Amino acid sequence: MDLAGKVAVVTGGASGIGEALVERFHAEGARALVVVDRDEAGAATVAEKVGGTAVGLDVTDEEAIKAVVADTVAAHGALDVFVSNAGYVTQGGLEVANDEIQRMWEVHVMSHVYAARAAVPVMVQGGGGYLLNTASAAGLLTQLGSLQYAVTKAAAVSLGEFLSITYGDKGIVVSMLCPQAVETNILANSPDRTGNGDGERGTPGAAAGDGVLQPSELAQTVIEAMAEERFLVLPHPEVQTYRERKTSDIDRWLSGMRRFQSRLFADSAATPADWLLS
């Protein structure tokens, strides 16, 4: 994928990873950028910098996603890239309320379904296109301290595999962006950062052990991966090693992760297992 002259939609585009991708796509010569976010004012600020279009919506609203795709094609004659990037994190385990789990499922999985459902027919008709979905290294490994994040991000990766297998021969390229810690709003609120207002549930940085990237650094990796049309986009290359260890001996990996969790919560009054039981 060469982004020069392409039309792209980016959700979660008002800040963090989404904002960095919008700016980098612009630098790479994209001819039209649609910046989508629930924060419409933030989306407008980013769009103004790149001469793009801002749209305020909730990515769990399928009709709104359909409208964005239709409006983009009507305005620019094509849709080449759809970046389904919106996401968030909360802490918790089995004690978490069902509606909280369901909300994260809608944002992290169904939003990708809605994006693909709307964009794929348009892209196929236009000769092909690119779906870049943001998951997380948690989708390949797991997320300590957040059942809902771990499960929904794993589902997002599985969905990406399905889309690639099913529509790859129709000219649809799929990439899954799976970083560890990136300096964004998600990191600020994650179970991997202490001082997040949730006291005992903060941990000293499970995902940050291999470094915290700036969004602009991640954007560089995305550009390289899109040029090669790689399925997995791994800004933290260590993740590949961890995946190989998990695949080669899952029991050993699980045992190691239990030890890792014990170390992370060694100074805490409660571990993730205790949250349900206390």
Side-chain angles (χ1 to χ4, degrees):
M1 169 61 69
D2 179 357
L3 285 159
K6 298 299 191 295
V7 177
V9 172
V10 181
T11 72
S15 63
I17 291 172
E19 179 181 9
L21 291 177
V22 168
E23 292 177 347
R24 186 56 190 269
F25 286 7
H26 175 66
E28 294 292 321
R31 70 178 173 91
L33 289 161
V34 180
V35 184
V36 176
D37 204 285
R38 205 167 52 159
D39 174 8
E40 187 170 2
T45 298
V46 174
E48 184 177 6
K49 290 190 292 184
V50 299
T53 302
V55 179
L57 59 78
D58 187 322
V59 294
T60 67
D61 183 344
E62 183 172 11
E63 293 305 312
I65 294 295
K66 288 180 181 177
V68 165
V69 170
D71 291 347
T72 298
V73 174
H76 305 291
L79 174 60
D80 302 297
V81 180
F82 196 112
V83 181
S84 188
N85 168 69
Y88 70 106
V89 67
T90 58
Q91 300 179 63
L94 288 174
E95 79 286 352
V96 170
N98 291 348
D99 58 356
E100 183 177 335
I101 297 172
Q102 185 62 40
R103 171 62 181 171
M104 195 168 283
W105 177 266
E106 291 290 327
V107 173
H108 289 167
V109 183
M110 294 310 298
S111 68
H112 298 322
V113 173
Y114 301 152
R117 190 177 282 161
V120 165
V122 170
M123 290 176 172
V124 171
Q125 186 176 10
Y130 211 115
L131 301 175
L132 173 64
N133 296 346
T134 298
S136 167
L140 302 172
L141 304 170
T142 193
Q143 176 64 61
L144 300 179
S146 184
L147 174 152
Q148 57 272 36
Y149 194 79
V151 170
T152 58
K153 290 300 188 178
V157 174
S158 183
L159 171 62
E161 293 170 350
F162 175 86
L163 294 172
S164 180
I165 293 167
T166 305
Y167 299 105
D169 290 342
K170 300 293 186 180
I172 303 300
V173 180
V174 181
S175 287
M176 298 302 303
L177 175 55
C178 297
Q180 293 195 97
V182 182
E183 195 60 66
T184 67
N185 293 336
I186 283 184
L187 182 64
N189 296 318
S190 81
D192 298 317
R193 171 161 290 191
T194 56
N196 55 14
D198 202 4
E200 294 298 334
R201 294 195 176 193
T203 74
D210 295 314
V212 179
L213 295 179
Q214 293 301 313
S216 58
E217 296 176 288
L218 177 143
Q220 174 61 32
T221 304
V222 168
I223 295 300
E224 294 169 0
M226 291 182 72
E228 298 176 6
E229 299 187 349
R230 297 199 303 265
F231 178 73
L232 287 182
V233 184
L234 303 178
H236 295 83
E238 298 87 353
V239 171
Q240 179 62 25
T241 300
Y242 304 150
R243 288 183 66 240
E244 291 169 358
R245 292 174 181 171
K246 177 181 178 181
T247 302
S248 65
D249 192 338
I250 185 66
D251 294 301
R252 181 178 180 181
W253 180 81
L254 289 168
S255 178
M257 289 296 284
R258 286 193 291 270
R259 291 193 300 272
F260 184 29
Q261 179 173 261
S262 295
R263 292 197 303 272
L264 286 172
F265 287 87
D267 297 327
S268 177
T271 71
D274 297 319
W275 298 344
L276 174 70
L277 304 175
S278 59

